[in-house]
Amino acid sequence: EVTKDRNGVQQVLLRNSRGASVTVSLHGGQVLSWKNDRGEELLFTSTKATFKPPHAVRGGIPICFPQFGNGGSLEQHGFARNKIWVIDDNPPPLHPNDSNGKSYIDLLLKPSEDDLKIWPHCFEFRLRVSLTADGNLTMISRIRNVNCKPFSFSIAYHTYFLLSDISEVRVEGLETLDYLDNLCQKQRFTEQGDALTFESEVDRVYLNSKDVIAVFDHERKRTFVLRKEGLPDVVVWNPWEKKSKSMLDFGDEEYKRMLCVDGAAIEKPITLKPGEEWTGRLELSVVPSS
Ligand code: TA6
């Protein structure tokens, strides 16, 4: 079902037979909402988010491409989340089990003449957003080098999970991994051996993680599970009190009910030779937890 937001930008609503739903905006190819079959919102969106292109809405799942972070000539987290994508009517066939029993939408981003001036690489970025019969949200990115000189990119699904209380959140799956700490000039540290808990600002890229990460929301007795392929790194970010106050599109207290845990490929950018294609998959599910 295609609707329009207050700026006239198309949004696509996916529903499954149990009443779960996903809303994707053509602005940035950004998932703005993922609701379970009881209509409960599972992703965080700031009450102060501005729906004003070209800036990405603060929340949901912005796509960071072709770079994560700042540096070089590109804006922070690259341009993909600030561009208008199009609905791809004739996507090349995906692996059969990526289509059956699901409602999905195929989006496409290709560089404009202006984009090529900033980032001179002819790519095609195909994004399939699906809602499975079980209410899981899957995002499959296929990025192709359309017969130009080789190029490299980083990518992250910048996922804002909605949580009851950050002080009661635990993340499992990152124990003992090395991470780059954005709060200490991206220096490399090693995580200790037990689950992550949160008492202050965290801004890290965990490296070479396993493909399953769990985010426990103690109060709501539910766990978000991330399953990823082709995305070796995991960004973990909570701005905490001080940084929250410095962000105009983020409420002062909102850090208490969100956490970004992103499937990503950052430390080792992906290089595509002419005609090559890269695929990255992320599946989000929610399971009850004691
Ligand atoms: O999650 C890592 C990070 O780079 C943080 O440092 C913070 O800047 C966050 O992304 C949000 O970035 P944005 O450009 O969306 O405000």
Side-chain angles (χ1 to χ4, degrees):
E1 179 189 338
V2 182
T3 58
K4 290 204 173 183
D5 71 12
R6 61 188 92 165
N7 295 309
V9 175
Q10 280 188 322
Q11 297 185 347
V12 179
L13 179 66
L14 304 175
R15 277 194 191 292
N16 73 4
S17 56
R18 296 186 193 164
S21 70
V22 167
T23 303
V24 196
S25 173
L26 293 196
H27 181 255
Q30 187 170 347
V31 169
L32 294 178
S33 167
W34 171 37
K35 291 179 179 172
N36 62 18
D37 49 15
R38 291 193 296 281
E40 292 172 326
E41 180 58 65
L42 299 168
L43 297 177
F44 167 85
T45 300
S46 174
T47 54
K48 299 172 78 174
T50 56
F51 289 73
K52 215 165 45 235
H55 298 293
V57 172
R58 174 73 62 197
I61 309 178
I63 304 270
C64 302
F65 171 86
Q67 82 176 19
F68 184 81
N70 43 32
S73 59
L74 298 179
E75 63 254 59
Q76 161 123 313
H77 295 335
F79 51 74
R81 65 177 178 167
N82 299 330
K83 293 280 169 204
I84 298 295
W85 294 50
V86 297
I87 293 176
D88 183 7
D89 294 323
N90 58 342
L94 256 178
H95 194 282
N97 73 3
D98 277 324
S99 320
N100 57 4
K102 294 176 178 171
S103 57
Y104 60 89
I105 183 76
D106 288 308
L107 302 180
L108 171 63
L109 178 70
K110 290 198 285 193
S112 65
E113 285 312 308
D114 284 351
D115 297 334
L116 288 168
K117 290 186 189 115
I118 302 170
W119 200 63
H121 303 297
C122 9
F123 69 89
E124 281 179 356
F125 188 151
R126 287 184 157 78
L127 174 67
R128 173 167 290 188
V129 181
S130 305
L131 178 62
T132 69
D134 296 337
N136 299 345
L137 165 59
T138 66
M139 299 177 76
I140 303 169
S141 292
R142 285 177 292 155
I143 298 169
R144 203 161 69 83
N145 177 332
V146 188
N147 296 325
C148 304
K149 60 184 189 311
F151 63 78
S152 300
F153 65 90
S154 297
I155 185 167
Y157 293 103
H158 209 15
T159 310
Y160 286 75
F161 290 103
L162 180 63
L163 298 161
S164 335
D165 176 351
I166 186 64
S167 65
E168 297 199 331
V169 168
R170 214 172 69 247
V171 176
E172 287 189 358
L174 302 174
E175 297 82 355
T176 74
L177 293 183
D178 280 5
Y179 63 86
L180 307 176
D181 192 334
N182 208 17
L183 303 181
C184 301
Q185 297 79 38
K186 294 190 175 57
Q187 285 175 65
R188 196 182 182 110
F189 298 87
T190 301
E191 186 54 64
Q192 80 272 11
D194 48 20
L196 239 60
T197 53
F198 301 87
E199 298 86 26
S200 60
E201 181 179 357
V202 171
D203 190 347
R204 300 172 179 172
V205 180
Y206 284 83
L207 307 175
N208 297 320
S209 82
K210 294 190 288 278
D211 285 345
V212 180
I213 308 292
V215 183
F216 292 85
D217 180 334
H218 175 72
E219 195 172 306
R220 284 204 181 98
K221 303 217 177 319
R222 72 180 172 206
T223 301
F224 289 105
V225 179
L226 290 82
R227 287 183 176 77
K228 52 195 181 68
E229 287 165 39
L231 299 162
D233 304 327
V234 178
V235 178
V236 178
W237 175 55
N238 186 290
W240 219 258
E241 191 162 3
K242 185 162 166 283
K243 177 141 189 190
S244 297
K245 290 193 166 71
S246 72
M247 294 192 291
L248 293 179
D249 60 349
F250 194 85
D252 291 355
E253 302 289 311
E254 288 186 322
Y255 70 92
K256 293 177 177 170
R257 54 191 194 88
M258 57 64 75
L259 179 68
C260 280
V261 181
D262 313 353
I266 297 174
E267 189 201 23
K268 298 185 179 69
I270 293 140
T271 301
L272 293 179
K273 294 196 280 292
E276 264 192 325
E277 178 172 272
W278 170 85
T279 300
R281 280 179 108 261
L282 176 69
E283 175 163 85
L284 303 180
S285 52
V286 188
V287 295
S289 52
S290 54

